Amino acid sequence: MISPATILVVDDEAHSRTVLVNLLKHEKYLVITANDGREGLAAAAAQRPDVILLDVMMPGMDGYEVCRLLRADPMLLHMPVLLISSLSDRESRLRGLEQGADDFITKPFDTVELRTRLRSITRLNRFRRLSEERSRFEQALASAPDGVVLTDTDGAVLFANNAFCRLFEEESPPTEFFDCLPEATQGILREQLRGLTDVTMRVGPCETTILRPHLKGTILEITAASLLWEGHTAWQFNIRDITEKKQLEKQL
């Protein structure tokens, strides 16, 4: 289940914060608030919200300065910012965009327009985060010595690293992972994975062979776990060639 998007509301006026909080909670967002610019920067760094609703006219540090500082921080650089202000002139809007705001909405705002813009921004931001997370994951596993493959709960391959392809002597990952394994092994792994109740739990190790005529005699050790992948349940299989190990054990 995908968690609700988090919205940070930064506004020095209590009434404005209350209006926005009530509206956003009605839309099932998780809402956090800050009373001024400095508090907003601290909350952004600590909470990493999906979107920041930032008032422009605030004492001490206005919304323009907050936006500039957000864009100057590598950790907060890509955090979406929607400026909210009673200023509607062209110069004010351009200044906000120049400081790095993603959008600008004028008070008194139209609630339908605000909801629509937030849905669009949060959806795009979540997609960006998922893409970055997937890229980091793939980079981390690309050079792993053991074969690693991710599948959906039907066994369709979502990702496989280079070691997996070398192990199965494939130029590219297969479409279905279980087609590479004996039927008995398929049943064991499926049954064990369906019994997992916690994504931190693992199953295995399970010893098996490769269902490829030219790789007959290759012995594999497979461990598996359930995890969330792009908002859905997926299975991760770690595969190690233990043929040489088993041969040495037999000799001893």
Side-chain angles (χ1 to χ4, degrees):
M1 182 178 179
I2 300 176
S3 60
T6 300
I7 310 294
L8 169 60
V9 176
V10 185
D11 197 318
D12 63 306
E13 295 183 1
H15 175 70
S16 296
R17 290 197 306 273
T18 301
V19 170
L20 284 169
V21 167
N22 291 337
L23 171 65
L24 296 172
K25 286 186 174 179
H26 180 74
E27 294 296 314
K28 308 302 182 184
Y29 290 113
L30 179 62
V31 187
I32 53 179
T33 62
N35 300 327
D36 56 42
R38 295 190 183 281
E39 190 177 318
L41 286 171
Q47 302 293 332
R48 301 298 174 87
D50 291 276
V51 180
I52 299 176
L53 289 180
L54 178 60
D55 184 40
V56 171
M57 304 303 292
M58 294 186 294
M61 181 186 294
D62 63 22
Y64 298 127
E65 179 65 7
V66 174
C67 197
R68 186 189 69 79
L69 292 172
L70 286 168
R71 296 302 177 238
D73 188 330
M75 301 301 293
L76 307 176
L77 174 63
H78 299 294
M79 194 168 288
V81 176
L82 176 58
L83 286 178
I84 300 180
S85 175
S86 56
L87 302 174
S88 59
D89 59 283
R90 180 173 179 271
E91 288 73 18
S92 297
R93 298 173 70 89
L94 286 176
R95 184 183 176 191
L97 296 174
E98 287 170 355
Q99 295 299 330
D102 295 276
D103 209 344
F104 198 110
I105 192 165
T106 305
K107 293 180 180 179
F109 53 81
D110 182 284
T111 56
V112 175
E113 180 185 7
L114 179 61
R115 285 197 297 262
T116 302
R117 292 195 188 189
L118 280 176
R119 277 197 298 268
S120 176
I121 292 173
T122 54
R123 185 163 52 245
L124 289 172
N125 189 43
R126 289 250 167 141
F127 178 77
R128 178 187 61 79
R129 286 184 174 181
L130 285 172
S131 297
E132 291 176 349
E133 181 181 333
R134 177 169 182 165
S135 178
R136 287 193 297 269
F137 180 85
E138 292 179 356
Q139 289 174 10
L141 294 182
S143 58
D146 291 344
V148 179
V149 60
L150 264 66
T151 77
D152 64 17
T153 52
D154 292 322
V157 173
L158 304 172
F159 166 82
N161 69 350
N162 295 331
F164 175 87
C165 294
R166 289 194 300 268
L167 184 61
F168 285 82
E169 295 188 1
E170 300 278 358
E171 292 185 2
S172 59
T175 304
E176 298 287 335
F177 170 61
F178 288 117
D179 289 347
C180 305
L181 305 174
E183 189 173 338
T185 305
Q186 297 180 31
I188 292 171
L189 289 172
R190 288 180 187 273
E191 186 66 26
Q192 289 180 333
L193 283 163
R194 288 197 179 99
L196 293 183
T197 57
D198 189 330
V199 293
T200 63
M201 297 171 62
R202 304 184 69 84
V203 299
C206 171
E207 291 186 11
T208 187
T209 57
I210 299 178
L211 203 61
R212 295 283 193 275
H214 62 291
L215 295 174
K216 186 176 180 181
T218 301
I219 304 173
L220 305 177
E221 181 181 81
I222 301 177
T223 57
S226 176
L227 76 161
L228 286 176
W229 178 255
E230 298 183 349
H232 301 282
T233 300
W235 292 341
Q236 177 180 331
F237 299 91
N238 291 58
I239 308 153
R240 177 173 297 175
D241 185 345
I242 59 170
T243 307
E244 185 177 352
K245 174 186 173 185
K246 300 302 287 188
Q247 290 172 346
L248 288 172
E249 288 177 352
K250 186 176 181 181
Q251 290 175 15
L252 289 172

